[in-house]
């Protein structure tokens, strides 16, 4: 399993919103794009998807922008990927006219187990956890350069 560019950009955009969550100030697309190095037009489409999925809300006007719809500790990475990619996106096998064999059943079982393990990890981590990991890494970087 790989993390798609679309999913990575969505997580990075939400991470930026989570970092600024306490201020209560909305972030504009250009601010998020500049901080996370995401193309503006692509980010605009992603934020629209995240808004429809209920993860962000938008405010209009000159001081408008985007905010998380909930606290960062209540939004899991699994939820983000479900919103962006769709929960049914990762299927083991397409239902078709192939005949099931014992071998294919064994492979499918292992794939299901791997997917469940991955989903368990993604459900465990929230945007707040990513912020904490980011902050601790930045502290290590600062100490390293002293």
């Amino acid at each position: 399993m790989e993390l798609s560019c679309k999913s990575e950009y969505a997580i990075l955009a939400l991470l930026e919103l989570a970092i600024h969550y306490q201020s209560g100030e909305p972030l504009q697309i250009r601010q998020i794009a500049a901080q996370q190095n995401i193309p503006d037009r692509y980010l605009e489409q992603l934020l629209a998807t995240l808004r429809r999925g209920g993860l962000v809300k938008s405010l209009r006007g000159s001081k408008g922008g985007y905010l998380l719809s909930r606290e960062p500790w209540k939004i899991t990475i699994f939820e983000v990927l479900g919103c962006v990619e769709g929960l049914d996106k990762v299927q083991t096998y397409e239902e078709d006219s192939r005949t099931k064999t014992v071998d294919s059943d064994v492979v499918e079982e292992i794939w299901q187990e791997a997917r469940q393990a991955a989903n368990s990890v993604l459900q465990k981590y929230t945007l707040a956890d990513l912020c904490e990991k980011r902050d601790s890494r930045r502290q290590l970087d600062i100490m390293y350069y002293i």
Side-chain angles (χ1 to χ4, degrees), residues 16 18 28 37 60 82 107 121:
E16 193 63 30
Q28 295 178 347
N37 199 23
R60 294 179 184 256
V107 171
V121 171

Side-chain angles (χ1 to χ4, degrees), residues 14 18 26 30 34 37 48 50 55 62 87 119 122 129 145:
L14 291 171
R30 61 180 169 77
N37 199 23
L50 294 169
L55 297 178
S62 61
L87 292 176
N119 288 348
L122 295 171
D129 295 327
Y145 291 111

Side-chain angles (χ1 to χ4, degrees), residues 19-125:
I19 292 165
H20 293 90
Y21 179 78
Q22 293 299 327
S23 74
E25 297 289 321
L27 291 179
Q28 295 178 347
I29 289 174
R30 61 180 169 77
Q31 292 172 299
I32 300 168
Q35 282 297 113
Q36 296 296 338
N37 199 23
I38 303 170
D40 291 25
R41 292 197 182 270
Y42 194 64
L43 181 58
E44 189 175 342
Q45 294 171 0
L46 271 177
L47 287 170
T49 300
L50 294 169
R51 186 179 50 76
R52 284 189 302 272
L55 297 178
V56 299
K57 57 185 174 182
S58 60
L59 300 174
R60 294 179 184 256
S62 61
K63 295 191 179 200
Y66 287 87
L67 295 162
L68 292 178
S69 62
R70 301 192 303 271
E71 295 90 350
W73 54 90
K74 291 185 177 178
I75 300 174
T76 66
I77 305 307
F78 181 79
E79 188 177 4
V80 175
L81 296 178
C83 177
V84 174
E85 300 289 347
L87 292 176
D88 297 330
K89 178 95 174 166
V90 183
Q91 293 295 321
T92 52
Y93 289 99
E94 291 181 18
E95 294 298 322
D96 59 13
S97 59
R98 287 190 292 188
T99 306
K100 290 281 189 180
T101 65
V102 172
D103 296 349
S104 66
D105 280 347
V106 168
V107 171
E108 188 172 353
E109 282 177 26
I110 292 170
W111 183 250
Q112 287 280 33
E113 185 179 339
R115 197 167 82 197
Q116 287 171 353
N119 288 348
S120 174
V121 171
L122 295 171
Q123 288 170 346
K124 183 175 89 170
Y125 285 101

